[in-house]
């Protein structure tokens, strides 16, 4: 998807099916955005909220999706189901807030959002938050990822490079040179666990 524009949600991909599932495999996205000041940038994906419903982005690259208009948000929005993002590159994207929004199914016994072997570099949220992991009580996994030089420029309200209302396990990852008021921030009394990571 190259230089796609829309006046609604999802500059390149809009999928909303509360009874369905969605897999994007080997997708390239470049210079895609919305012209609406209160909409999602590259993709808006909303699926059935059950464990068997896939909400996956595999082996894909999303770069230079830029819209600095106040209110634009979520370069990538993944809503409901089981979220899985292996080998994703998201780089040099810019929006007002929340570069990545993950809102998976809540299951206290398993990870319902897994991001692995991926790079998130040089993204800018001029308002706040790079990762917005937002299902109360859900378990999120970030494994073998590079999270580098992402910026949230509204410091007092920047919320954090990774902001959550669930439990987050981060393994074997590099989290360096990100610019935000917090690197890790929780809305409630859940846990961040880091294992074998390099951080500032």
């Amino acid at each position: 998807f190259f230089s796609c524009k829309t006046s609604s949600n999802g500059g390149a991909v809009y999928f909303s099916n509360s009874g369905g599932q969605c897999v994007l495999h080997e997708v390239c996205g470049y210079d895609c955005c919305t012209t609406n000041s209160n909409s999602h940038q590259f993709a808006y994906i909303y699926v059935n909220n059950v464990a068997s419903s896939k909400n996956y982005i595999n082996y894909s690259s999303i770069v230079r999706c830029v819209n600095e208009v106040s209110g634009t948000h979520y370069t990538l929005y993944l809503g409901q189901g089981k979220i899985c993002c292996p080998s994703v590159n998201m780089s040099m994207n810019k929006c007002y807030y929340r570069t990545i929004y993950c809102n998976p199914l809540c299951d206290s016994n398993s990870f319902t959002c897994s991001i692995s072997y991926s790079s998130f570099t040089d993204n800018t949220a001029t308002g706040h938050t790079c990762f917005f992991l937002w299902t109360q009580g859900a378990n999120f996994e970030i494994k073998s990822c590079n999270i580098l030089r992402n910026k949230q420029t509204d410091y007092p309200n920047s919320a954090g490079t990774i902001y959550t209302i669930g439990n987050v396990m981060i393994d074997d990852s590099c989290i360096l040179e990100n610019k935000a008021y917090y690197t890790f921030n929780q809305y409630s009394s859940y846990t961040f666990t880091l294992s074998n990571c390099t951080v500032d």
Side-chain angles (χ1 to χ4, degrees), residues 166-181:
N167 299 303
V168 182
M169 170 66 79
I170 306 176
D171 291 321
D172 303 314
S173 296
C174 288
I175 305 169
L176 295 170
E177 299 181 31
N178 297 288
K179 185 177 179 183
Y181 195 73

Side-chain angles (χ1 to χ4, degrees), residues 101-160:
Y101 185 117
C102 293
N103 176 219
L105 171 78
C106 182
D107 181 347
S108 60
N109 297 314
S110 65
F111 293 112
T112 54
C113 177
S114 178
I115 301 169
S116 59
Y117 305 101
S118 296
S119 291
F120 304 89
T121 62
D122 300 299
N123 298 291
T124 299
T126 52
H128 52 84
T129 316
C130 182
F131 286 84
F132 195 63
L133 308 177
W134 209 249
T135 298
Q136 186 164 1
N139 295 311
F140 299 87
E141 176 186 52
I142 298 174
K143 183 177 180 180
S144 301
C145 290
N146 292 317
I147 301 171
L148 307 173
R149 300 181 304 277
N150 300 289
K151 294 190 295 184
Q152 294 82 61
T153 55
D154 186 1
Y155 265 93
N157 301 304
S158 64

Side-chain angles (χ1 to χ4, degrees), residues 7-174:
S7 60
S8 186
N9 282 317
V13 178
Y14 179 88
F15 182 93
S16 181
N17 184 341
S18 60
Q21 54 187 333
C22 181
V23 176
L24 301 183
H25 184 76
E26 296 182 353
V27 168
C28 281
Y30 178 86
D31 185 34
C32 298
C33 71
T34 177
T35 57
N36 190 318
S37 64
N38 193 34
S39 294
H40 309 77
Q41 292 292 97
F42 173 75
Y44 175 93
I45 299 171
Y46 187 89
V47 303
N48 192 11
N49 200 33
V50 296
S52 60
S53 184
K54 296 177 181 178
N55 195 346
Y56 292 3
I57 298 184
N58 307 331
Y59 309 104
S60 296
S61 184
I62 302 166
V63 299
R64 291 192 183 276
C65 295
V66 175
N67 190 339
E68 300 179 64
V69 175
S70 180
T72 56
H73 50 274
Y74 313 149
T75 300
L76 180 61
Y77 176 95
L78 301 173
Q80 303 199 149
K82 188 166 185 178
I83 295 171
C84 188
C85 299
S87 300
V88 172
N89 170 40
M90 286 191 69
S91 300
M92 296 176 284
N93 300 290
K94 183 179 281 191
C95 62
Y96 182 69
Y97 61 84
R98 299 172 187 159
T99 304
I100 306 155
Y101 185 117
C102 293
N103 176 219
L105 171 78
C106 182
D107 181 347
S108 60
N109 297 314
S110 65
F111 293 112
T112 54
C113 177
S114 178
I115 301 169
S116 59
Y117 305 101
S118 296
S119 291
F120 304 89
T121 62
D122 300 299
N123 298 291
T124 299
T126 52
H128 52 84
T129 316
C130 182
F131 286 84
F132 195 63
L133 308 177
W134 209 249
T135 298
Q136 186 164 1
N139 295 311
F140 299 87
E141 176 186 52
I142 298 174
K143 183 177 180 180
S144 301
C145 290
N146 292 317
I147 301 171
L148 307 173
R149 300 181 304 277
N150 300 289
K151 294 190 295 184
Q152 294 82 61
T153 55
D154 186 1
Y155 265 93
N157 301 304
S158 64
T161 299
I162 302 173
Y163 188 29
T164 186
I165 192 172
N167 299 303
V168 182
M169 170 66 79
I170 306 176
D171 291 321
D172 303 314
S173 296
C174 288

Side-chain angles (χ1 to χ4, degrees), residues 171-200:
D171 291 321
D172 303 314
S173 296
C174 288
I175 305 169
L176 295 170
E177 299 181 31
N178 297 288
K179 185 177 179 183
Y181 195 73
Y182 303 102
T183 300
F184 310 105
N185 191 9
Q186 292 169 296
Y187 184 77
S188 191
S189 56
Y190 297 101
T191 61
F192 271 104
T193 304
L194 277 72
S195 176
N196 197 33
C197 292
T198 302
V199 299
D200 291 305

